[in-house]
């Protein structure tokens, strides 16, 4: 089991490397269902000029498009997400963590923490489900997911480091020095 | 009655504290002779400056009924849990002795007031000074009549987008360049009607409509032109099956265990996300050059940046000539913005956490929303992203109260 985790994270890191080759902030991810890789994604914020195109969002769009093409029902799509495990090289940001909770994903493994934007414990804890009882039936409780950090964190950090050492060529001109965190 | 008025309310970065429950600090104070006031204050400012309490006035003038005013002075901080005679620095004690003062401990407010209400409450304890914020994003200190008009007008356009008949059925988003009153992108929730192909085709159509707007450069009727654009380019004509506002109930997707209809849905295509996508598509269309740093300007990244500053940069580029990107229609006054830097977004409802963070990533400068989102809102209701210090970008947030909307929403 443990070795599987590393193998999946290796695939996520491979995606991050592809991002770096395209001069993107190096973050990558894979979605696993029933032990199979069903989608992978890498950060594409620079290419798209859309700063929300994080690796997770890219992979989620691939999955939704695929399942739509396969004619899956809403219930089936929701069930599929609830059986998915995400491996991502950096802690999902607040936006992605919220998105993963909206989709009802089962579990997330991440590499390094994201101390500026992290939504799975660093800044907000969107993965932990709400403990308060629901006030109304109409608005469902926020959904949590199991989340484990620190899987191959040093590899993920090394990628960030080499990316920012070579200088982010896409950073806007008057920009203060970038630290080795995920900046997108 | 206030609800009947159109107004723009700033939603601050810090949760409002009840003015009567502001944190306090203990200080030594004493009654002094008015004739010694100047000398004592000068001396105290040297030997016991009020370092983190600059908002406090050193002197407190108390008007006694029918008598002369009495002057009190803050001598120094009093540390908690200790007897007063032990904690005063020797220099201050010298002052106390030489002027025969009788020190007593009193409470003062620890932090500078953030609002007039807080300030009024502070002064009941000990007078403080109050400086309304003047340094921040345009609008925090209030809007001019002209600016308010434009804000209300854009908000009303946004509400129209979200309406079907008399009902608000989805959330809608409008990204606006406030400098020229130009609509950059508009969108509605698309969580149920999403389809990759349709969506892409629509974005394209949207470009060309927008581009027409650029060629007819007349500033005068910009807003009017945009209104026409809106009605043409909005998703109204498309199949509209979204009937819930997804930012209000973003977890509904996980509850669809009984819905066996084919999934044409994308649970994350909230209005703000779709609008960001459209603005990025517009950016790629108008400025097709590579993401080369030579041409990528961040024209207004600092929170203190003003529209005036942005304009200056644009003008400079024009003067230099040739250096700047030009759009396909040949207008040479357009500077490629860095993401949505300098732009505003209008939303009918306060955005959820995902959308609010997406707007941080895309560097939106100001967010205007009309209705709060008590169960899932991330700009003051459940979370308050504008106050998360660690984030690398902060926008200003305003609620635009439209009386007619309160009525619609209640129904």
């Amino acid at each position: 089991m443990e070795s599987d985790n590393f193998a999946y994270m290796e695939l996520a890191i491979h995606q991050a490397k592809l991002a770096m080759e395209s001069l993107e902030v190096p973050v990558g991810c894979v979605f696993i269902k029933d032990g199979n890789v069903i989608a992978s994604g890498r950060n594409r914020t620079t290419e798209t000029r859309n700063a929300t195109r994080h690796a997770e969002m890219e992979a989620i769009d691939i999955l939704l498009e695929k399942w739509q093409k396969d004619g899956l029902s809403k219930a089936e799509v929701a069930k599929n997400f609830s059986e998915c495990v995400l491996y991502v090289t950096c802690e999902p940001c607040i936006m992605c963590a919220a998105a993963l909770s909206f989709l009802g994903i089962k579990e997330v493994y991440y590499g390094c923490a994201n101390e500026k934007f992290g939504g799975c414990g660093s800044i907000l804890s969107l993965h932990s489900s709400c403990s308060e009882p629901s006030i109304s039936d109409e608005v469902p409780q926020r959904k949590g997911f199991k989340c484990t950090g620190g899987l191959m964190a040093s590899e993920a950090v090394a990628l960030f480091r080499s990316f920012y050492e070579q200088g982010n060529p896409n950073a806007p001109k008057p920009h203060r020095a970038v630290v080795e965190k995920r900046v997108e | 009655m206030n609800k009947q008025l159109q107004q723009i309310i700033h939603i601050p970065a810090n949760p409002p504290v009840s003015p009567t429950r502001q944190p306090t600090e203990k200080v030594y104070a004493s009654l002094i002779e008015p004739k010694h006031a100047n000398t004592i204050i000068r001396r105290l400012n040297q030997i016991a400056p009020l370092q983190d309490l600059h908002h406090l006035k050193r002197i407190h003038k108390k008007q006694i009924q029918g008598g002369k005013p009495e002057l009190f002075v803050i001598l120094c901080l009093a540390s908690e849990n200790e007897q007063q005679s032990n904690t005063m620095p020797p220099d201050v004690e010298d002052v106390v002795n030489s002027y025969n003062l009788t020190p007593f401990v009193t409470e003062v407010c620890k932090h500078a007031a953030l609002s007039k209400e807080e300030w009024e409450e502070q002064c009941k304890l000990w007078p403080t000074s109050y400086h309304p914020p003047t340094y921040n994003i345009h609008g925090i200190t209030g809007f001019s009549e002209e600016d308010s008009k434009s804000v209300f007008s854009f908000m009303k356009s946004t509400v129209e987008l979200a309406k079907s008949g008399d009902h608000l059925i989805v959330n809608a988003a409008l990204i606006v360049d406030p400098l020229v009153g130009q609509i950059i992108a508009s969108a509605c929730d698309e969580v149920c009607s999403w389809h990759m192909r349709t969506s892409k085709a629509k974005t394209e159509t949207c470009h060309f409509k927008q581009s027409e707007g650029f060629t007819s450069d007349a500033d005068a009727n910009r807003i009017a032109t945009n209104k026409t654009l809106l009605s043409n380019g909005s998703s109204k004509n498309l199949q509209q099956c979204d009937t819930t506002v997804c930012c209000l109930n973003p977890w509904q997707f996980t509850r669809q265990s009984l819905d066996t209809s084919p999934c044409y849905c994308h649970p994350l295509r909230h209005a703000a996300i779709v609008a960001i996508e459209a603005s990025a598509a517009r950016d790629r269309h108008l400025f097709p050059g590579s993401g080369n740093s030579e041409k990528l300007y961040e024209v207004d990244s600092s929170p203190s940046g003003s529209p005036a500053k942005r304009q200056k940069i644009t003008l400079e580029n024009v003067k230099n000539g040739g250096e700047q990107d030009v759009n396909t229609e040949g207008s040479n006054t357009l500077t490629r913005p860095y993401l949505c830097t300098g732009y505003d977004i209008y939303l009918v409802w306060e955005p959820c956490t995902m959308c609010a963070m997406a707007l941080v990533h895309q560097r939106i400068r100001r967010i205007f929303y009309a209705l709060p989102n008590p169960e899932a809102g991330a700009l003051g209701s459940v979370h308050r992203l504008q106050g998360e210090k660690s984030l690398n970008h902060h926008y200003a947030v305003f609620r635009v109260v439209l009386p007619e909307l309160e009525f619609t929403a209640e129904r």
Side-chain angles (χ1 to χ4, degrees), chain A residues 34-111:
Chain A
D34 307 323
N36 300 314
V37 179
I38 53 168
S40 57
R42 62 168 184 82
N43 182 31
R44 282 178 65 224
T45 52
T46 301
E47 177 197 336
T48 56
R49 299 184 207 175
N50 180 342
T52 70
R53 298 314 295 168
H54 290 184
E56 299 92 321
M57 298 304 232
E58 288 286 316
I60 289 167
D61 278 3
I62 291 172
L63 284 179
L64 282 165
E65 202 176 0
K66 186 152 81 184
W67 289 335
Q68 181 185 323
K69 218 179 269 170
D70 293 348
L72 265 59
S73 72
K74 271 188 198 170
E76 286 168 317
V77 169
K79 182 171 175 286
N80 278 356
F81 274 117
S82 74
E83 293 166 355
C84 275
V85 183
L86 168 71
Y87 289 78
V88 57
T89 55
C90 179
E91 177 188 351
C93 77
I94 289 168
M95 172 188 74
C96 292
L100 293 166
S101 119
F102 297 167
L103 295 173
I105 194 171
K106 183 184 172 193
E107 191 171 1
V108 172
Y109 288 90
Y110 66 81

Side-chain angles (χ1 to χ4, degrees), chain B residues 141-318:
Chain B
T141 53
F143 289 84
S144 70
E145 201 175 317
E146 194 190 346
D147 289 346
S148 304
K149 237 176 164 174
S150 143
V151 166
F152 289 123
S153 158
F154 281 126
M155 186 53 88
K156 283 172 185 169
S157 305
T158 314
V159 169
E160 284 308 310
L161 271 179
K163 266 187 184 170
S164 175
D166 279 345
H167 296 278
L168 288 165
I169 50 161
V170 289
N171 204 355
L174 208 61
I175 296 179
V176 169
D177 182 349
L179 196 60
V180 288
Q182 172 85 48
I183 291 175
I184 301 297
S186 69
C188 290
D189 288 343
E190 286 182 7
V191 297
C192 292
S193 54
W194 174 73
H195 187 277
M196 274 293 190
R197 271 169 216 285
T198 337
S199 161
K200 271 178 187 153
K202 200 188 91 195
T203 315
E204 288 305 312
T205 328
C206 189
H207 288 322
F208 296 120
K209 292 247 161 71
Q210 293 284 353
S211 310
E212 286 161 25
F214 287 119
T215 45
S216 66
D217 64 337
D219 271 87
N221 290 323
R222 260 288 153 71
I223 293 177
T225 321
N226 282 325
K227 271 186 182 152
T228 336
L229 276 178
L230 251 186
S231 53
N232 292 338
S234 85
S235 56
K236 278 274 177 62
N237 304 330
L238 291 165
Q239 186 200 5
Q240 185 62 269
C241 62
D242 296 76
T243 50
T244 49
V245 177
C246 40
C247 277
L248 294 180
N249 187 358
W251 293 277
Q252 64 181 338
F253 174 74
T254 59
R255 287 197 156 186
Q256 318 244 343
S257 53
L258 297 173
D259 193 335
T260 52
S261 61
C263 183
Y264 293 116
C265 68
H266 190 311
L268 305 181
R269 288 186 69 79
H270 295 198
I273 301 284
V274 182
I276 287 173
E277 183 185 85
S279 79
R282 174 187 176 274
D283 184 6
R284 295 193 304 268
H285 176 77
L286 291 179
F287 306 99
S290 68
N292 190 321
S293 59
E294 283 298 304
K295 291 184 176 174
L296 195 60
Y297 306 100
E298 178 155 35
V299 282
D300 184 8
S301 66
S302 65
S304 58
S306 65
K309 184 175 147 200
R310 231 162 69 85
Q311 185 150 38
K312 211 158 103 196
I313 293 169
T314 314
L315 288 175
E316 265 168 25
N317 290 337
V318 173

